[in-house]
Amino acid sequence: MSAPLIDPFQRAINYLRVSVTDRCDFRCVYCMSENMTFLPKKELLSLEELDRMCSTFVGLGVEKLRITGGEPLVRRDIMTFFGAMSRHLDSGALKELTLTTNGSQLERFAEQLHAAGVRRVNVSLDTLDEKKFADITRWGRLPQVLRGVDAAQKAGLRVKINAVALKGFNEDELISITEWCADRDIDLTWIEVMPMGDIGNEDRLGQYWKLSDLRTRLAEHYTLTELAERTGGPARYVRLEETGQKIGFITPLTHNFCESCNRVRLTCTGELYMCLGQEDMADLRAPLRNFPNDPAPLQEAIRSAIARKPKGHDFDYSRQSVDGRVTRHMSHTGG
């Protein structure tokens, strides 16, 4: 059972994104509803179960583990889980342990994260305007996040900002956000808004800002040099020669990045999604809980799921409608 995880298209699956909670202290408009109904605690994997689950994946060749949510740092006692995962870094089996966060709790946890072996964090931040930030996050406060970014850098964590490109919202901040990141030696990745969740009054098509347009606007202010670098994720990178910083583009709509997909996503309830943009999933909680002392059923369930990994997603805005949309909220699968 030690053979690596290979999907039907001969892609090695060595990157696992793990949602440790569906809860969040923000309510970002493109991620979840304002009045969310969260899962009962008994449905969530315990921290011990998350340890067993992730350790099984590491034993099957997963080398990168990204912890997500909801907001992962609002999970009670989550630092004990990070501390437990650090043993796989020490053994060399795991090459990277990292997380994606809204930054609200970084001021509190940055030093502990570094002590557990985390060296990079992605912070979701779509605007530097305090009022706009409050509007798009509904409950968030920008100064708290900025203090978190400062604390992360002080603790020795490399910070990358993930910004969702939203037409009519942060178009006018393209250069100011770029300059803010450059001044702080922070990398920046722009993401196209994806058609996920029961979005109600949220107009995904109206929000959609093509990254090809964003990139053209950047090129009017900077010299862009293509980078061949890949970080195990879907981003494609350029360097801005004037600042030396790296800018990434995640383009699920204008450029399907699925051909090199090496990742799967585990929800906080033990559902494994082989593709962010497809509904198919595998229940790993059942073999985990039904066979607590026998790793084989869980390993077999993981291999069976990887054998169903599709070639790619079907997101499409090209016909002036939102096609390929999936009904679950982004927070359900942790991005």
Side-chain angles (χ1 to χ4, degrees), residues 77-308:
D77 296 327
I78 190 60
M79 282 304 130
T80 63
F81 172 72
F82 277 99
M85 288 300 97
S86 67
R87 73 184 186 275
H88 298 304
L89 292 170
D90 294 340
S91 74
L94 191 63
K95 300 294 190 292
E96 184 173 33
L97 174 64
T98 183
L99 80 154
T100 295
T101 173
N102 64 25
S104 68
Q105 306 301 314
L106 274 178
E107 188 175 20
R108 178 182 175 193
F109 289 121
E111 291 186 0
Q112 294 177 59
L113 287 166
H114 190 274
V118 175
R119 294 296 177 263
R120 295 193 306 131
V121 296
N122 289 358
V123 178
S124 301
L125 180 63
D126 305 320
T127 176
L128 294 171
D129 181 287
E130 194 166 341
K131 182 182 184 306
K132 283 161 63 174
F133 184 87
D135 288 343
I136 199 166
T137 63
R138 295 193 180 105
W139 295 7
R141 297 294 176 264
L142 181 62
Q144 180 181 8
V145 172
L146 298 184
R147 291 196 304 271
V149 170
D150 290 342
Q153 290 192 291
K154 183 178 179 182
L157 300 173
R158 181 73 186 174
V159 176
K160 178 165 75 72
I161 298 297
N162 285 344
V164 176
L166 297 166
K167 184 186 294 184
F169 178 78
N170 54 14
E171 284 177 285
D172 60 339
E173 293 187 79
L174 173 59
I175 302 306
S176 59
I177 290 175
T178 301
E179 291 177 346
W180 182 85
C181 289
D183 289 344
R184 288 157 180 77
D185 188 27
I186 290 174
D187 293 323
L188 171 63
T189 290
W190 289 94
I191 307 170
E192 287 177 336
V193 66
M194 287 179 261
M196 297 189 68
D198 180 10
I199 55 181
N201 293 327
E202 296 302 327
D203 176 15
R204 284 291 192 270
L205 191 60
Q207 292 174 331
Y208 174 48
W209 178 18
K210 285 195 304 184
L211 291 198
S212 55
D213 175 52
L214 183 153
R215 180 173 170 149
T216 297
R217 295 193 199 181
L218 266 183
E220 293 170 357
H221 292 82
Y222 303 99
T223 305
L224 276 56
T225 299
E226 294 275 357
L227 298 177
E229 177 180 348
R230 296 289 183 269
T231 61
R236 301 295 180 264
Y237 295 96
V238 299
R239 182 175 62 247
L240 305 189
E241 294 301 335
E242 288 78 3
T243 66
Q245 75 196 109
K246 187 171 67 175
I247 305 289
F249 305 96
I250 297 180
T251 55
L253 286 307
T254 56
H255 177 260
N256 187 311
F257 47 66
C258 304
E259 70 279 355
S260 60
C261 183
N262 64 340
R263 70 206 69 91
V264 289
R265 292 165 170 84
L266 183 75
T267 74
C268 54
T269 60
E271 296 172 341
L272 187 72
Y273 282 87
M274 289 69 80
C275 175
L276 179 64
Q278 301 284 0
E279 298 283 13
D280 186 32
M281 63 85 177
D283 174 19
L284 299 185
R285 186 176 64 186
L288 179 77
R289 289 184 172 175
N290 293 341
F291 301 94
N293 300 312
D294 183 0
L298 177 59
Q299 293 171 339
E300 291 166 5
I302 292 170
R303 290 192 181 279
S304 176
I306 300 303
R308 304 204 312 266

Side-chain angles (χ1 to χ4, degrees), residues 292-329:
N293 300 312
D294 183 0
L298 177 59
Q299 293 171 339
E300 291 166 5
I302 292 170
R303 290 192 181 279
S304 176
I306 300 303
R308 304 204 312 266
K309 184 171 170 63
K311 189 172 185 180
H313 62 69
D314 299 316
F315 294 148
D316 187 7
Y317 290 149
S318 64
R319 291 180 285 276
Q320 295 304 301
S321 65
V322 183
D323 291 334
R325 183 164 69 86
V326 295
T327 57
R328 67 185 184 277
H329 287 283

